[in-house]
Amino acid sequence: MRLRVEFTTEPFDLDEAPAHAVVAREVIQDAALDAVDVGPFGNSAEGSPDDVIGAVEALLRRTVAAGATRVSLQVSVIDEAGGGREQ
């Protein structure tokens, strides 16, 4: 089984990346995840359940500590081929 996490952090700042957004990018890029896609309006990554859940925990703890006022996320179960078998 694989999981996909999609998330955003707020508040947004279109002029420069806020500290919480930089931290979020670091957490996801340093985690043992693949299919990492980091962008200004949303981010996603995939991995094993243990790796995704561990990254989500670190993401929540570190982005809130860095000033995020909201972290919106969705975790979906995907099949091994990368399709979207959401539960």
Side-chain angles (χ1 to χ4, degrees):
M1 175 190 329
R2 290 178 51 81
L3 300 179
R4 174 184 298 132
V5 60
E6 300 169 83
F7 67 92
T8 58
T9 60
E10 295 180 38
F12 296 114
D13 184 342
L14 297 178
D15 293 326
E16 71 177 77
H20 60 81
V22 173
V23 166
R25 180 173 58 232
E26 290 171 356
V27 168
I28 292 303
Q29 290 177 333
D30 291 347
L33 302 175
D34 51 70
V36 174
D37 183 19
V38 177
F41 300 109
N43 310 282
S44 64
E46 299 176 6
S48 72
D50 287 341
D51 290 340
V52 169
I53 291 167
V56 166
E57 179 184 7
L59 175 78
L60 292 171
R61 291 182 186 279
R62 292 187 54 200
T63 57
V64 169
T69 58
R70 178 182 301 201
V71 179
S72 301
L73 65 90
Q74 174 175 301
V75 176
S76 302
V77 174
I78 58 174
D79 64 24
E80 292 298 323
R85 181 183 72 107
E86 296 184 14
Q87 295 197 356

